[in-house]
Amino acid sequence: MTNMAKTSYQLPELPYAFDALEPVISAEIMQVHYEKHHKTYVANLNAALEKYHEAESKNDVAAMIALQQVIKFNGGGHINHSIFWTILAPVGHGGGPSGELMEMLERDFSSFDQFKEKFSSAAVGVQGSGWAWLGYSKAMKRLEIATCSNQDPLSTQGLIPVLGVDVWEHAYYLQYKNMRADYVKAIWQIFHWPNIEARFAKAII
Ligand code: MN3
């Protein structure tokens, strides 16, 4: 038992203050989203992994299988939100798409505006809770738009996340009520393109 790998995930530091993304995302939403939602995914992930390691040490495969769904949900929640915080920046600080990423967006979606339109309608169209992503397919060597239900990480679709938008109601409801389209329209003002481009650069290696 002493040499058993003990994994403990931590809530990553938010790279800006809760009110930094206003007026696009309110401080209240940021605080609840980060301190309650993300923190809970981390706590539940760690608790589930602890049970998983225990089941593993007892060779209890049935118990291990029973834990897979909770690990997927909370682990996915942790992965997704850890990406989400870093691809956002205060209005006027995120720059714009450029370089190789811009070239590939234009190649794969005809133009940046077409990408923006397709991505936005995918995000608005997610039924129930989930995420919209721009991901890179290593197999196809191209960018793709994909949506995921609940907290399924984009890797479940064989794509590397480049840019993602949380469209769970907890991400916008306190401010936008049921108007998800308004939230999705506004979020383009706070993308942090240097971070998004760095993810893309790493994905294409
Ligand atoms: Mn969320």
Side-chain angles (χ1 to χ4, degrees):
M1 293 294 273
T2 45
N3 62 356
M4 196 170 73
K6 189 118 165 89
T7 317
S8 184
Y9 290 93
Q10 310 279 329
L11 186 64
E13 216 169 295
L14 202 62
Y16 36 71
F18 290 132
D19 65 357
L21 305 181
E22 288 192 344
V24 175
I25 300 177
S26 72
E28 187 188 15
I29 287 179
M30 285 304 295
Q31 185 162 7
V32 173
H33 202 173
Y34 173 77
E35 282 187 342
K36 307 286 183 196
H37 292 276
H38 190 171
K39 195 176 174 185
T40 303
Y41 297 129
V42 172
N44 290 346
L45 172 63
N46 286 331
L49 286 173
E50 203 165 304
K51 284 184 198 160
Y52 189 91
H53 293 318
E54 199 186 315
E56 198 176 22
S57 71
K58 293 175 181 163
N59 292 318
D60 187 347
V61 180
M64 289 163 72
I65 291 169
L67 285 160
Q68 283 178 350
Q69 205 48 41
V70 68
I71 292 169
K72 183 181 183 185
F73 183 81
N74 291 287
H78 176 49
I79 290 169
N80 293 338
H81 289 85
S82 298
I83 296 170
F84 190 53
W85 310 134
T86 63
I87 58 150
L88 300 177
V91 174
H93 287 77
S98 62
E100 255 189 283
L101 173 60
M102 187 59 158
E103 281 168 30
M104 204 175 278
L105 284 169
E106 287 172 340
R107 188 198 73 184
D108 294 342
F109 301 100
S110 303
S111 68
F112 182 75
D113 283 346
Q114 287 224 31
F115 157 65
K116 193 172 166 179
E117 202 183 305
K118 277 186 188 151
F119 183 91
S120 297
S121 47
V124 172
V126 172
Q127 292 193 341
S129 299
W131 291 73
W133 292 99
L134 171 69
Y136 181 71
S137 164
K138 264 196 179 320
M140 306 301 287
K141 297 195 191 323
R142 69 170 190 211
L143 291 164
E144 290 179 20
I145 291 168
T147 59
C148 293
S149 295
N150 302 310
Q151 297 295 358
D152 292 0
L154 187 62
S155 56
T156 58
Q157 297 193 29
L159 297 172
I160 301 168
V162 174
L163 179 172
V165 174
D166 186 345
V167 292
W168 279 58
E169 281 190 343
H170 68 225
Y172 62 89
Y173 199 87
L174 287 171
Q175 188 177 356
Y176 293 88
K177 300 294 183 283
N178 62 323
M179 306 302 284
R180 185 194 284 177
D182 291 350
Y183 158 71
V184 170
K185 190 179 175 194
I187 207 165
W188 291 90
Q189 297 172 62
I190 55 168
F191 283 139
H192 188 210
W193 289 100
N195 184 283
I196 294 162
E197 279 178 32
R199 291 182 183 282
F200 171 73
K202 240 174 122 178
I204 59 173
I205 291 171

